[in-house]
Amino acid sequence: MPTLEEEVVIVTGASRGLGKSMVERFSAEGARVVLTARDEERMEEIAADLPTESLVVPADARDSDAVERVVDRTIDEFGRIDTLVNNAGVSLLGMQDERNGLVDVTDDEWDTVLEVNLTGVFYFTREVLPQLYDQDQGNIINISSGLGRHAIAGAGAYVSSKWGLEGLTRTTALEAEEYGVNANALDPGGRVDTDIWAHLPEEEREQILDPDVMDDAAVLLAAQGPDGVTGESMEAEDWEERLG
Ligand code: NAP
């Protein structure tokens, strides 16, 4: 496994679940990590146990000014950015405890899912790219889902957000390639035992994937240099096979 010694990695949705796990793993590989999400207390607790330097910058991913502050503070503190992991995400499943047909989705629910899962990724990407372009290298890793390639009934907002994210990933890759910057999508390859599935009965939660499922693949993607694989979307296991 490559080292990320001294690299600077921003992880969104860092307060719990898959984001927390990736933060801990990046730090274990030597990276300096910037944690961002809304819950400052949880992020401070995570940061306190990390073996490397870190920075906690609370932000709502839907607020472009707050996102700008995250990126500005990162550059002030560390002087560079090597990788952005766009992981923050919500699903109506967690918000409502059950799947919801399109006819029942409210304006607020639709907007929340699209704004966090897609618009927030655009905000972070727009802020980070100029720095990566200046460096002539960097990686953007967008956390997608099987529902970015398939659809199911009862998850219209989530499915739409993740298909949108897949498109945004490809556009980012096309624009960034000439600057040596890679943009790819990564997903766990199934349901993961995080708060998204908090509504499932305990015995069902025990059968799904653990939150560290993407950590190896995320490290391999973050370690890519200029001319790395770009514009691709794969499950964690497939990335490990491709880059490992
Ligand atoms: P999770 O445990 O619910 O964590 C979601 C993270 O997103 C939290 O850190 C949360 O932090 C952050 N977040 C939510 N709303 C936000 C907002 N408005 N602004 C900033 N941050 C916000 O979920 P997870 O399962 O780890 O999900 C992480 C990613 O994996 C998501 O993109 C999800 O779609 C994807 N994914 C998950 C699964 C799965 O089965 N769990 C499967 C496929 C893909 P705060 O609440 O502190 O803001």
Side-chain angles (χ1 to χ4, degrees), residues 106-117:
T106 67
D107 294 4
D108 273 355
E109 288 163 350
W110 177 271
D111 288 348
T112 300
V113 175
L114 268 292
E115 284 171 14
V116 177
N117 296 6

Side-chain angles (χ1 to χ4, degrees), residues 27-68:
S27 179
E29 300 293 339
R32 296 169 286 175
V33 189
V34 180
L35 296 82
T36 184
R38 291 165 304 173
D39 190 333
E40 184 169 12
E41 203 177 313
R42 271 179 184 246
M43 291 190 289
E44 290 292 0
E45 276 170 26
I46 297 165
D49 290 333
L50 296 176
T52 54
E53 266 185 284
S54 62
L55 181 66
V56 171
V57 192
D60 189 318
R62 295 168 291 183
D63 176 349
S64 60
D65 291 334
V67 169
E68 190 180 345

